Amino acid sequence: RKEVEQDPGPFNVPEGATVAFNCTYSNSASQSFFWYRQDCRKEPKLLMSVYSSGNEDGRFTAQLNRASQYISLLIRDSKLSDSATYLCVVNLPFSGSARQLTFGSGTQLTVLP
Amino acid sequence: GAGVSQSPSNKVTEKGKDVELRCDPISGHTALYWYRQRLGQGLEFLIYFQGNSAPDKSGLPSDRFSAERTGESVSTLTIQRTQQEDSAVYLCASSPWDEQFFGPGTRLTVL
């Protein structure tokens, strides 16, 4: 089983739609969770951090379910500019020299006019 | 403020040559990561530096790959005797704790 799993999509939705992505993780000791977005041929950029039960930033809402070991990202009123690949990232507790972050393979979103 | 910078932005080289890629992290970030991303693929972890601790090299694909970092400053990733399968975008990220901030990457093409 992969450490972080995402539905690769693609998700093709019309402008104004609401779309949700899920991400599951295998290590129950994971402490921090993030969503990044990556535009075509660009570097990943931090979209949201998810530290507790979830948080909201404008049209974007991230939820964390520790019992089921998944996080979700909800995008409301989607815009053409939301078209990108969304990466789920999970962080183990800080452990000195050990690698911390695990990236999912990403979910591709295309918002259609 | 200044973000993570990488150089060169593009590098074309011939098979068998050595290449050196540079990453300038955000000042004050103690952690630095190198990733490789092939076209249409996800991020592939290569190496991780945290302060003065021994680096985590578990992601390096072969002994042709090596990386160095002096203190909490610049890092270089060196690929010796490049192969065509090394063609990819090499991304560097720095981090103050949890969140990572990525540079624009170096696009490496091995002919």
Side-chain angles (χ1 to χ4, degrees), chain A residues 2-109:
Chain A
K2 288 184 182 178
E3 291 177 301
V4 178
E5 290 202 66
Q6 295 184 250
D7 181 344
F11 284 67
N12 298 318
V13 303
E15 266 187 295
T18 296
V19 61
F21 310 133
N22 284 330
C23 168
T24 58
Y25 59 96
S26 60
N27 192 321
S28 60
S30 300
Q31 293 289 317
S32 306
F33 309 88
F34 309 91
W35 284 102
Y36 282 72
R37 69 171 280 167
Q38 186 173 25
D39 293 282
C40 187
R41 300 175 78 85
K42 296 286 189 181
E43 73 273 22
K45 293 188 176 177
L46 180 65
L47 178 64
M48 296 182 76
S49 304
V50 188
Y51 284 106
S52 55
S53 60
N55 51 302
E56 184 173 318
D57 182 4
R59 298 183 294 109
F60 298 83
T61 300
Q63 293 285 334
L64 168 64
N65 185 316
R66 289 189 183 273
S68 301
Q69 294 182 204
Y70 77 84
I71 65 173
S72 63
L73 178 67
L74 181 77
I75 305 176
R76 290 182 296 278
D77 188 23
S78 52
K79 312 291 185 189
L80 296 177
S81 57
D82 294 334
S83 298
T85 296
Y86 290 83
L87 303 170
C88 170
V89 184
V90 175
N91 188 359
L92 292 172
F94 183 72
S95 53
S97 62
R99 172 164 61 93
Q100 300 177 62
L101 292 192
T102 303
F103 280 76
S105 55
T107 297
Q108 185 181 338
L109 171 67

Side-chain angles (χ1 to χ4, degrees), chain B residues 98-111:
Chain B
D98 274 355
E99 296 116 338
Q100 292 189 355
F101 298 86
F102 284 83
T106 293
R107 185 173 302 278
L108 175 65
T109 304
V110 182
L111 302 176

